[in-house]
Each structure stands twice: as C-alpha cells, then as structure tokens.
Amino acid sequence: MDEDIQTGQGAAEEQIRKSKALRHRCAWLLGSVVVLAGLLMVTKTESPAADAASPTPAAIEGPYFKPNSPKRTSLLEPGITGTKLVLTGRVLSTAGKPIAGARLDFWQADSKGEYDNVGYKLRGQQFADQAGRYRLETIVPGEYGSRPRHLHVKVQAPNGPVLTTQLFFPGDRRDFIFNLDLVMKVQEAADGKGATFDFVLDVK
C-alpha cells in the first residue's frame, strides 16, 4: 500500500513538473510574439517611404515655349473661343508637403490646335498659395497635328529645379510623349469642364 501511495505521489509530481514546463514555454512564445509585433509596428511607423510620393514625370518642352509670360490665373480673353476648362490642384514635395510660392507657367494651343507665337494668348504664369494650391482658367485645347490634346507647364519650387511636363485628357489618343501618370481627372461642369492634377516635385 505504501508503494501505491509513493507511486501516486510520484505521478502527481511528474504532472506538476510537466505543467510548469508547458506554462513556461507558452509564456516564452507569447513574449516572443509581443516583441515581434512591437518591432513590426516600429518599422512601419518609422518607414520614411510610408507617405512618400513619386515625382511627377517630365515631358518634352516642345517648340513653342516663350519666357516672360504674363502673371495671371485666367487665360480667357476676348477672341478666345472653345470649351471652358478650370484646372485646379496642388504643388507638393515628395514628402507630401505643400510648396508655397511654387511657380507654374502654362502654355497651350487654342481650340483649333494652333499656338500664338507672336503674343501671349493662352500663356500665363502664377504662383501657388500658402497651401500649395493653384487654379487656372483656360479652354480645352484642340489637337495639334497628330498629337493628343495637352497643356504644357513648367513647375518650379522657390529656388528649386524646373519641372517641364505636359498634362493630358483621359480617353484621348496616345503618342510617344503620352504618359498615364500625366492624365488629369476631368469632369463635366455647368459652364464647361473641370480638371484636377497635383504636381509632385523632387524636393524634400
């Protein structure tokens, strides 16, 4: 009988030892999971690319740029005909910060696809406000030769490099200059069309 009691006690002690060992392993695994989760959260939070944006692609200047265009936010004037277009957007850094005072110099063809190379019709420059916003009143340009409709623009942060590019309309024909990353968001408006496009400059 004493042997039975000793055997029972030994089994109980062995069970307690195994239970303690199991609890120890579970606690170690849980701690490892918590540490790993914490490291992943820190890595994600501190990742410099989390809010980064790619710079707006450049496009060729073309033959009809003229410097010293007048400062104005509306290119509409007597003699300009066509569908009204209001383009709005922001000028941002690759970190997503607005670039106050960025210069935007626009030029384009008229509704027949012709450029004014004598004066400054459908040409003008403006500066983004403190929130990096800009607004341009113009018309939808016509197709120039075999090219799709487009707007030319030079964008420059204060004391920064100049981005020369073009903006395109959705659904238009494509050529070797066309870039999907340069397509504006366009919608119908009561008096014409509205469009939006945010420029991202390669500055911090």
Side-chain angles (χ1 to χ4, degrees), residues 41 47 80 82 112 139 143 159 170:
M41 290 180 65
S47 173
I80 299 296
K112 298 179 181 179
I139 61 166
E143 294 181 346
N159 301 315

Side-chain angles (χ1 to χ4, degrees), residues 125-147:
Q125 60 178 296
Q126 60 177 279
F127 294 87
D129 66 14
Q130 290 300 311
R133 295 172 299 198
Y134 72 91
R135 184 178 188 276
L136 176 73
E137 287 187 345
T138 183
I139 61 166
V140 175
E143 294 181 346
Y144 167 70
S146 61
R147 298 225 46 219

Side-chain angles (χ1 to χ4, degrees), residues 1-203:
M1 183 174 182
D2 291 339
E3 291 180 357
D4 293 340
I5 292 174
Q6 290 177 355
T7 300
Q9 289 177 343
E13 291 175 355
E14 178 64 18
Q15 185 65 32
I16 292 172
R17 186 185 66 78
K18 289 182 178 180
S19 178
K20 287 182 178 179
L22 180 61
R23 288 199 299 270
H24 178 74
R25 287 196 296 270
C26 289
W28 181 85
L29 288 172
L30 179 60
S32 299
V33 170
V34 171
V35 171
L36 180 59
L39 289 174
L40 289 174
M41 290 180 65
V42 170
T43 302
K44 183 176 181 180
T45 301
E46 295 182 352
S47 173
D51 297 319
S54 299
T56 299
I60 64 171
E61 180 180 286
Y64 299 129
F65 172 71
K66 292 181 65 176
N68 304 315
S69 62
K71 293 181 176 64
R72 55 187 176 182
T73 59
S74 178
L75 306 184
L76 303 179
E77 58 180 292
I80 299 296
T81 60
T83 302
K84 182 179 178 181
L85 174 69
V86 177
L87 171 64
T88 59
R90 299 173 296 168
V91 183
L92 306 170
S93 69
T94 51
K97 298 179 180 179
I99 301 179
R103 182 175 67 89
L104 301 100
D105 194 346
F106 293 95
W107 73 101
Q108 66 173 87
D110 62 18
S111 59
K112 298 179 181 179
E114 299 175 349
Y115 288 85
D116 175 17
N117 296 312
V118 177
Y120 285 93
K121 288 184 178 179
L122 294 172
R123 301 173 182 268
Q125 60 178 296
Q126 60 177 279
F127 294 87
D129 66 14
Q130 290 300 311
R133 295 172 299 198
Y134 72 91
R135 184 178 188 276
L136 176 73
E137 287 187 345
T138 183
I139 61 166
V140 175
E143 294 181 346
Y144 167 70
S146 61
R147 298 225 46 219
R149 298 173 298 170
H150 59 280
L151 305 177
H152 292 273
V153 59
K154 290 180 179 286
V155 189
Q156 181 181 23
N159 301 315
V162 177
L163 167 69
T164 300
T165 192
Q166 301 181 23
L167 300 181
F168 299 97
F169 291 78
D172 274 10
R173 71 172 74 180
R174 303 182 181 187
D175 61 7
F176 70 99
I177 303 172
F178 184 91
N179 188 326
L180 282 174
D181 291 333
L182 296 174
V183 175
M184 300 176 288
K185 293 180 180 179
V186 180
Q187 60 280 329
E188 298 296 325
D191 58 347
K193 294 182 181 294
T196 58
F197 191 88
D198 290 343
F199 294 97
V200 179
L201 302 184
D202 193 11
V203 297

